[in-house]
Amino acid sequence: MVYQIYPRSFQDSDGDGIGDLKGIRARLDYLHDLGADVIWLCPVYQSPNDDGGYDISDYQAILPEFGTLEDFSDLLDGLHARGMKLIMDLVVNHTSDEHPWFLESRKGRTLPDGTLNPYRDYYIWRPASEDGQEPNNWGSHFGGSAWKLDPERGEYFLHLFSPRQPDLNWEHPEVRQEIYRMMRWWLDQGVDGFRMDTINMLSKVPDFPDAPQKQDERYPLAELHFLNGPRLLEYLREMRREVLDHYDVLTVGEAPGVSPELGAQYTHETEGVLSMIFQFEQMALDKDLAHPTPRWTQVPWSLAALKEVTGRWQHVLHGQGWNSVYLSNHDVPRMVSRFGDDGEYRVQSAKLLATFLHTLQGTPYIYQGDEIGTTNVQFRSISEYRDVDTLNLWREEVTEGGGDPQATLERIWAQGRDNARTPMQWDATPGAGFTTGTPWIGVNPNHTTVNVQAALADPDSVYWYTRELIRLRQDLPVIVDGRYDLLLPDHPQLYAYTRTTDTEQLLVLLNFSREPVTLDWPAASPPACYRLLLSNLAATQRPELHLTLAPFEARVYHALSSQEVPQA
């Protein structure tokens, strides 16, 4: 199990309101007791922090507000002493515009002494179009054009994200070698691998053509021109050959727009280039991708679509590659608010979602706080938000666009990235046990009831249930190796599936609704052959002929061997 930490919001050790490395070090026993095998640390590098640390100005330095390289070494030692591993966020599609490479690159192709600038092509520079506008119509993920005119160089540079995040030019061999040297440096420090940010965006279509536009869309996302580009596999194979094959590492690539077939190719045990990837299909279930809508417009998601997406990835990668299994991270809303019910059924639905994640084939990821059922937050003023994407949306729609502030705020409540970035809720004190000072972003008001201290004291909490799921994965090979098969594919409320090997079978029943579900036990499989392993509500140990699952009830059954089946 991989546990993701957003350092700024996990634990503050010095009262400045910002989480830090010493704070994480102080919570290692908590993470170990939960059952985490690997910690994924979001960026702690030197950065002006325009985009939560994903704009790096020095890859081999720690941002002072997080601590020092000595603090990092102490954290790594503490993890390794407990038998845990650490993977770093590797952000190499882009840097900060304050990185020395960019500062040198913007000086132009030649230097004042007439020599060629060695950094001239470290980034993607293009002249203006014939009409004096951007080189093409590509849009940024954060809104607006993906190009910015640099007055010093007199050309446009590409930024698929913030204008403070210029894209590196992976066509340049020396850029790649710089990255490989940096990766080796961290691995030599003892780091156990990398989560590779936007890794399938490294290769762009070289002639940078315009992207197709929807009606009234000025700057479309040109994903067909920069996702899984023509040289991506070449770059990743080179990275593996020059760096990764020389260390015992775990790698997970963030790869939006990847199909299961490509996923199997990227993660194949012998021929692949990565240990696993993050695919994004389930992250689009509540988005209308077919029609032009305002950014972050939410539509109802369907259980049928979740079954379809999950099934494809489970089947295609089985025996070929390896899945990453997740429903939340630092970039998306809280999973219980998005896919469950964060009101009356918060505890039940958080447990149900955890059951789903931990009984699929693949490595499960827990984002900090999900193990206690942390929910979205609804700040009442835009001044309380910190995320660059959120603030850009507000500027475009409200400040400059004259739109309805309340309507925009409600979309932020549902989809904004700061939902995942509020401080970890350790206890009911004013700083939520996160800080003794003023937190960099407000704590969720429900921390007075939803917190770790309360969860540890309650044997029926989401925490203890999640810990039991983690133990089950460690004890039952069928959860790791078993084939996934969907049952009742057309049922509108129930998600039912089996995990099967030659010697054992797991049956998982999940009621994804606020209404009870009743069904007959399949005649071909006598209920006496199954025993209940786990349920998020009280349930009988053996399945009844007529099952009724309460709202958001989850049950996991284990098939008994022939010797264990009770005799008539």
Side-chain angles (χ1 to χ4, degrees):
M1 185 272 282
V2 180
Y3 189 96
Q4 181 190 357
I5 289 178
Y6 193 73
R8 185 170 293 273
S9 297
F10 191 67
Q11 181 66 68
D12 172 23
S13 70
D14 57 10
D16 67 353
I18 297 170
D20 47 47
L21 295 173
K22 287 183 177 179
I24 299 170
R25 179 75 168 80
R27 296 292 186 177
L28 291 187
D29 286 341
Y30 168 82
L31 298 169
H32 182 261
D33 291 345
L34 176 64
D37 300 299
V38 179
I39 300 303
W40 157 23
L41 202 61
C42 284
V44 292
Y45 311 98
Q46 183 70 47
S47 167
N49 204 41
D50 182 63
D51 180 25
Y54 284 86
D55 48 317
I56 298 169
S57 56
D58 187 338
Y59 283 110
Q60 291 171 222
I62 300 294
L63 184 63
E65 61 193 22
F66 290 143
T68 64
L69 278 170
E70 183 180 359
D71 295 331
F72 180 86
S73 181
D74 288 344
L75 172 60
L76 193 59
D77 290 345
L79 285 163
H80 289 167
R82 291 166 174 80
M84 300 160 72
K85 306 293 186 184
L86 178 72
I87 61 173
M88 298 279 282
D89 230 312
L90 183 76
V91 187
V92 292
N93 175 72
H94 48 263
T95 70
S96 165
D97 63 353
E98 295 184 19
H99 195 290
W101 299 343
F102 186 77
L103 297 179
E104 292 299 318
S105 187
R106 67 189 309 201
K107 293 178 180 178
R109 302 192 64 81
T110 57
L111 299 176
D113 63 3
T115 61
L116 280 175
N117 181 355
Y119 296 95
R120 62 191 181 280
D121 294 325
Y122 268 45
Y123 296 83
I124 298 173
W125 295 96
R126 291 293 182 274
S129 63
E130 291 182 0
D131 60 359
Q133 300 300 309
E134 296 93 349
N136 63 28
N137 69 350
W138 292 13
S140 159
H141 285 93
F142 292 167
S145 174
W147 298 93
K148 182 179 179 181
L149 180 64
D150 182 74
E152 182 172 348
R153 177 152 168 163
E155 290 185 303
Y156 285 88
F157 64 86
L158 181 70
H159 60 90
L160 292 181
F161 295 91
S162 162
R164 302 287 310 276
Q165 294 167 291
D167 278 46
L168 285 164
N169 177 20
W170 272 72
E171 298 274 346
H172 192 336
E174 186 54 30
V175 168
R176 303 200 299 274
Q177 291 304 317
E178 293 265 26
I179 297 300
Y180 303 155
R181 283 191 285 271
M182 175 269 292
M183 293 172 67
R184 284 189 287 266
W185 187 86
W186 279 108
L187 292 168
D188 289 341
Q189 309 305 306
V191 167
D192 302 292
F194 299 106
R195 178 266 187 184
M196 299 178 174
D197 185 68
T198 61
I199 197 65
N200 67 330
M201 299 184 189
L202 303 184
S203 174
K204 283 76 170 176
V205 173
D207 55 352
F208 292 89
D210 279 345
Q213 291 172 283
K214 299 174 184 175
Q215 186 178 4
D216 300 325
E217 185 179 36
R218 184 177 179 186
Y219 296 116
L221 274 181
E223 292 183 333
L224 75 166
H225 298 318
F226 63 73
L227 291 183
N228 311 302
R231 297 187 66 187
L232 179 64
L233 272 175
E234 174 192 342
Y235 297 153
L236 294 181
R237 285 172 179 148
E238 181 182 74
M239 179 188 291
R240 175 178 169 172
R241 183 174 63 252
E242 297 212 12
V243 181
L244 302 175
D245 281 347
H246 302 280
Y247 300 86
D248 180 16
V249 294
L250 182 153
T251 55
V252 53
E254 182 188 28
V258 168
S259 67
E261 291 73 23
L262 265 180
Q265 181 181 8
Y266 290 161
T267 65
H268 192 275
E269 185 173 0
T270 56
E271 302 301 319
V273 288
L274 301 169
S275 307
M276 61 191 89
I277 61 169
F278 288 134
Q279 58 89 5
F280 278 65
E281 288 193 63
Q282 78 274 19
M283 293 293 102
L285 293 179
D286 55 3
K287 293 177 171 56
D288 185 355
L289 302 180
H291 303 92
T293 57
R295 283 202 298 141
W296 292 2
T297 296
Q298 190 176 35
V299 298
W301 66 276
S302 75
L303 185 59
L306 179 62
K307 293 178 183 180
E308 192 276 330
V309 168
T310 303
R312 279 192 291 108
W313 281 89
Q314 290 285 298
H315 285 300
V316 174
L317 268 65
H318 181 68
Q320 298 297 316
W322 194 249
N323 282 292
S324 299
V325 187
Y326 76 101
L327 285 174
S328 63
N329 59 40
H330 64 293
D331 279 335
V332 297
R334 288 288 181 175
M335 70 178 188
V336 71
S337 297
R338 190 178 192 183
F339 296 106
D341 180 330
D342 60 10
E344 179 182 0
Y345 297 109
R346 181 188 66 84
V347 172
Q348 292 98 308
S349 63
K351 290 179 179 180
L352 174 138
L353 294 170
T355 307
F356 175 61
L357 291 175
H358 288 269
T359 56
L360 293 172
Q361 186 171 58
T363 297
Y365 285 71
I366 292 177
Y367 180 67
Q368 64 183 48
D370 283 346
E371 75 276 16
I372 61 170
T374 304
T375 69
N376 282 356
V377 68
Q378 294 186 0
F379 292 138
R380 296 294 164 176
S381 168
I382 192 62
S383 65
E384 298 180 77
Y385 286 92
R386 302 290 180 264
D387 170 44
V388 61
D389 200 11
T390 300
L391 299 178
N392 282 349
L393 178 73
W394 185 269
R395 186 193 72 250
E396 292 166 9
E397 294 196 359
V398 179
T399 307
E400 298 175 357
D404 179 2
Q406 186 61 29
T408 300
L409 201 57
E410 288 175 4
R411 298 213 315 280
I412 292 169
W413 291 346
Q415 294 285 312
R417 299 197 302 178
D418 280 340
N419 282 307
R421 301 179 182 188
T422 53
M424 182 71 176
Q425 296 167 207
W426 295 104
D427 60 36
T429 60
F434 162 72
T435 185
T436 57
T438 302
W440 72 277
I441 188 173
V443 299
N444 192 321
N446 69 10
H447 77 279
T448 55
T449 54
V450 181
N451 61 68
V452 170
Q453 186 179 64
L456 293 176
D458 179 4
D460 293 325
S461 70
V462 180
Y463 171 89
W464 290 109
Y465 185 85
T466 301
R467 187 162 144 166
E468 180 66 10
L469 281 166
I470 295 167
R471 185 192 66 78
L472 278 182
R473 287 187 65 89
Q474 296 167 341
D475 291 346
L476 295 176
V478 67
I479 303 181
V480 178
D481 300 318
R483 183 186 70 249
Y484 164 97
D485 290 296
L486 180 66
L487 307 175
L488 305 174
D490 299 323
H491 200 291
Q493 297 166 260
L494 188 70
Y495 195 156
Y497 52 91
T498 55
R499 300 289 312 286
T500 310
T501 65
D502 291 340
T503 57
E504 62 180 339
Q505 185 177 77
L506 208 69
L507 170 66
V508 182
L509 302 175
L510 307 170
N511 178 10
F512 268 83
S513 78
R514 295 172 179 84
E515 302 296 330
V517 170
T518 300
L519 66 154
D520 293 332
W521 193 266
S525 239
C529 296
Y530 291 82
R531 67 182 175 88
L532 185 68
L533 274 181
L534 194 65
S535 173
N536 63 350
L537 295 172
T540 57
Q541 286 300 301
R542 298 206 181 277
E544 313 93 310
L545 285 173
H546 303 287
L547 282 174
T548 298
L549 274 70
F552 293 104
E553 183 172 358
R555 297 189 193 183
V556 180
Y557 291 99
H558 194 231
L560 303 172
S561 69
S562 57
Q563 288 78 17
E564 294 175 298
V565 175
Q567 298 301 306

